[in-house]
Amino acid sequence: MNKEVNMKMGRALRWTGMLCIVAVLSNSGIQVFGSETQPNDNSAPDYAGIISIDGMKAFGDLERPAVLFQHDRHTAALEKLGKDCTTCHIQKEGRLLLPFKRVENGTRKAVMDVYHENCIACHKETTANRQQSGPVECGECHMENPLIQPDQKPMGMDKSLHFRHSKALDNKCESCHHEYDETAKKLIYVKEKEGSCRFCHKRVTEENRISMSLASHKACIDCHLKTASRKQKTGPFKCAGCHNAESQRLIEKVSPVPRMERKQPDVALIKSGKEPLEHRMGFVPFDHKAHENYNDTCRVCHHAGMQPCNTCHTMNGAKEGATIRLEQAMHRIDADPSCIGCHNKQQENRECAGCHSAMTGKSSNAEGTCAKCHAAIPAIDGQSISSPEADTAAAAAHLESRTFITRLPDVKDIPDKVTIKRLSNKYQPVELPHRKIVTTLFEEIKDNKLAGSFHSSQETLCQGCHHNSPATLNPPQCANCHGEPFSDQNVLKPGLLGAYHIQCMECHKKMEISKPASCTDCHKEKVTSAK
């Protein structure tokens, strides 16, 4: 057979094997993570258990629409007949093999025949036995406009679930973690070099590394089956057990999650690794332990591997880091793994978005924000910081000396109410509950260390509304910048009426404040006396 066809066939069947993954018996006496039972209603399909069989694409365009296969419904039906997963899958050396009927190569027709002969034969047999069965005609499986569609919710392993697995396996990390030894040509376990499965297993199969979907289904379900066979608490077997929204909601959570030790640092001093004695910016003391608590997975920052950022992202850019320079990797505003990208993402949270929404403009203190991370750390004993021990000590000392803005200025310095009457012709003046707004904003963020660190002074909060003013208790009025009609010299700057409404209403929208619901909630309509 042609080598290219063989390769295509292998890819098709690996994918098909993942799609047709085990019709596994569900033991009602076995607990699953977070739930005693899994969705198992045989009267209606669970859309998380519907998979698309379209592996024939490897041979070219499909002659008929892909088949939407109700996997979990078949599982339940087989259980009632006293059959197990070996009805569709073969066991080898105690392990369930993923490909349907263990088809590994063949022609286009041979692959189709495997499905047609086995599926249709099963349906005919159950029909002959006067049992509820499936279709036997082409158009009943290959449907142009099916009434059902797959709806699998992505499943991942957060810190809570990872800790529960680690505890259940008695900290035997080698049960899941491995790497490929090029010399020995086999998978090995290296202690304290554990990383995310996604570092090696990508979205699709590459060379000798199977896709993340195949790897996770193969490893997880096999382990759950073996654990279940020992009548122990285990994880789900069916599609809906992992990929159903309600099942995910029921997963038991551990809080707080104990720290997973991997000899990671508590603090680190971020450097390029090749600094000369003279450098433009200070090094960045990084609170690694704190950031572990802020995120559910190490992949938030370590998106390709657990090594330091400068291993792949060099000063000049390297192939290993997709030619993205270290400076870019840390500062790209559109990349979640970057420092600034992640911090900007936090500004979208409800409690922050009112001030950091699109209308706030630039901060007058923007030029000082670099120093919030790039600290001026003195050299130790007059020498440039170089040893890892010295780096860690310097970073820890700086982080310990940080101060956070944890209180407002004296209440008496914050006006209680502000009357806005500049535009009061049709409506009465607006009584703005100024002090209440300021104190509410502060209460929302007072325990947020990111906000406390970057709000450079107690007056910084004022800049949420007074967005182009200095950090002061006496900012200029809005009318100092926004004229009553908008300026035709600067069409991007709204007039005073627009500025008030955009600023206030944008803040309420971002912070999910339901009021005001109408104009008169803020300013009463004037009543004109009859003549």
Side-chain angles (χ1 to χ4, degrees):
M1 182 179 296
N2 182 281
K3 181 178 181 182
E4 182 179 354
V5 172
N6 257 324
M7 293 177 64
K8 287 183 177 180
M9 187 64 232
R11 288 195 296 268
L13 294 170
R14 283 194 297 270
W15 176 240
T16 301
M18 186 274 289
L19 291 174
C20 295
I21 192 167
V22 297
V24 186
L25 291 180
S26 175
N27 187 329
S28 59
I30 299 173
Q31 293 180 324
V32 297
F33 281 135
S35 175
E36 293 289 329
T37 61
Q38 300 178 62
N40 192 25
D41 181 3
N42 205 32
S43 63
D46 186 297
Y47 297 112
I50 299 173
I51 56 180
S52 176
I53 301 179
D54 60 0
M56 296 298 294
K57 286 181 178 179
F59 297 102
D61 295 337
L62 296 178
E63 297 175 356
R64 287 180 175 271
V67 174
L68 295 184
F69 178 71
Q70 298 183 38
H71 179 273
D72 284 356
R73 199 171 185 183
H74 279 73
T75 301
L78 287 171
E79 181 182 10
K80 289 182 177 180
L81 297 174
K83 297 181 180 181
D84 61 18
C85 45
T86 58
T87 303
C88 298
H89 301 271
I90 295 172
Q91 279 189 324
K92 184 178 180 180
E93 297 177 355
R95 189 168 195 159
L96 198 70
L97 304 180
L98 299 185
F100 176 66
K101 294 295 182 181
R102 196 50 185 173
V103 179
E104 293 183 331
N105 52 44
T107 63
R108 183 188 192 106
K109 183 179 183 303
V111 177
M112 288 192 295
D113 288 347
V114 167
Y115 285 99
H116 291 161
E117 292 172 4
N118 287 280
C119 297
I120 294 175
C122 180
H123 291 175
K124 287 182 176 180
E125 179 185 346
T126 50
T127 300
N129 293 331
R130 297 184 179 183
Q131 298 164 337
Q132 184 179 0
S133 189
V136 295
E137 298 295 334
C138 302
E140 294 175 319
C141 284
H142 300 276
M143 302 177 67
E144 289 286 353
N145 298 300
L147 298 177
I148 57 175
Q149 290 294 333
D151 185 24
Q152 290 93 4
K153 304 300 181 185
M155 180 65 185
M157 183 170 286
D158 59 17
K159 290 195 300 185
S160 171
L161 199 55
H162 184 271
F163 172 76
R164 292 180 59 210
H165 278 77
S166 178
K167 183 178 180 180
L169 294 170
D170 196 25
N171 294 319
K172 292 183 174 64
C173 304
E174 62 273 18
S175 301
C176 300
H177 293 280
H178 55 246
E179 61 181 63
Y180 187 70
D181 187 327
E182 288 286 353
T183 303
K185 302 297 180 184
K186 65 177 182 179
L187 295 175
I188 61 171
Y189 168 68
V190 182
K191 187 175 176 58
E192 295 170 355
K193 286 192 66 179
E194 302 87 357
S196 168
C197 307
R198 295 181 187 271
F199 292 158
C200 290
H201 298 283
K202 307 300 183 183
R203 188 177 63 85
V204 297
T205 296
E206 298 176 353
E207 299 175 352
N208 64 337
R209 292 172 295 172
I210 58 177
S211 68
M212 183 62 195
S213 293
L214 278 173
S216 55
H217 285 86
K218 183 177 180 180
C220 300
I221 293 180
D222 183 67
C223 182
H224 292 175
L225 284 170
K226 289 178 179 178
T227 309
S229 68
R230 298 192 292 269
K231 305 297 182 183
Q232 296 174 335
K233 183 177 180 179
T234 189
F237 306 141
K238 301 181 182 179
C239 305
C242 287
H243 298 291
N244 173 276
E246 178 64 14
S247 295
Q248 292 183 5
R249 189 185 69 80
L250 293 174
I251 293 175
E252 177 186 335
K253 293 290 185 181
V254 176
S255 182
V257 181
R259 191 184 190 196
M260 300 298 293
E261 293 294 341
R262 191 183 174 275
K263 285 196 173 179
Q264 69 272 42
D266 289 347
V267 299
L269 193 63
I270 298 179
K271 306 162 64 177
S272 73
K274 295 183 179 179
E275 283 81 8
L277 292 179
E278 296 293 333
H279 46 83
R280 292 183 299 172
M281 300 295 295
F283 302 143
V284 178
F286 179 68
D287 193 335
H288 191 278
K289 186 175 182 179
H291 281 75
E292 288 179 41
N293 293 328
Y294 300 149
N295 300 293
D296 262 344
T297 169
C298 303
R299 291 180 58 245
V300 171
C301 297
H302 298 280
H303 55 95
M306 296 297 287
Q307 63 269 30
C309 306
N310 59 23
T311 303
C312 296
H313 299 293
T314 63
M315 291 288 285
N316 297 321
K319 179 180 178 181
E320 293 76 12
T323 68
I324 297 173
R325 301 192 305 274
L326 183 62
E327 179 271 332
Q328 293 174 318
M330 299 296 184
H331 296 84
R332 287 180 61 173
I333 61 174
D334 59 344
D336 290 349
S338 85
C339 301
I340 292 182
C342 181
H343 290 175
N344 284 352
K345 195 75 173 177
Q346 302 308 308
Q347 294 174 3
E348 297 176 7
N349 294 337
R350 183 196 60 78
E351 62 272 19
C352 302
C355 291
H356 290 283
S357 60
M359 299 308 302
T360 58
K362 63 180 181 180
S363 167
S364 62
N365 193 41
E367 65 275 8
T369 57
C370 298
K372 296 296 180 181
C373 293
H374 294 275
I377 298 177
I380 295 179
D381 297 329
Q383 301 295 320
S384 173
I385 301 172
S386 57
S387 71
E389 294 77 13
D391 286 354
T392 301
H398 178 83
L399 292 172
E400 186 66 28
S401 68
R402 287 178 303 172
T403 58
F404 298 96
I405 305 303
T406 55
R407 66 181 181 85
L408 281 170
D410 292 337
V411 174
K412 63 181 178 61
D413 293 328
I414 304 174
D416 183 23
K417 292 185 179 180
V418 173
T419 302
I420 302 175
K421 56 184 179 179
R422 184 72 175 263
L423 300 171
S424 57
N425 48 14
K426 183 178 180 180
Y427 293 94
Q428 297 179 30
V430 174
E431 290 289 333
L432 185 74
H434 182 270
R435 185 180 295 165
K436 180 181 178 181
I437 292 172
V438 176
T439 54
T440 299
L441 290 174
F442 176 74
E443 286 297 319
E444 291 281 353
I445 65 166
K446 67 179 182 179
D447 297 323
N448 188 316
K449 284 193 174 183
L450 182 64
S453 179
F454 280 85
H455 292 180
S456 57
S457 69
Q458 295 171 341
E459 294 80 23
T460 304
L461 202 61
C462 304
Q463 294 177 301
C465 294
H466 303 279
H467 44 260
N468 280 315
S469 302
T472 173
L473 289 175
N474 298 294
Q477 296 181 358
C478 303
N480 285 24
C481 293
H482 298 277
E484 289 192 19
F486 76 89
S487 171
D488 58 2
Q489 301 298 315
N490 187 353
V491 295
L492 297 179
K493 179 185 289 186
L496 187 58
L497 178 65
Y500 281 136
H501 285 83
I502 292 174
Q503 187 72 25
C504 298
M505 295 171 71
E506 180 79 3
C507 178
H508 285 201
K509 177 182 177 181
K510 295 289 186 180
M511 296 191 72
E512 302 173 7
I513 300 173
S514 59
K515 294 185 177 181
S518 65
C519 301
T520 54
D521 283 347
C522 286
H523 33 70
K524 304 300 181 184
E525 191 169 6
K526 285 186 175 181
V527 178
T528 305
S529 59
K531 292 184 178 180

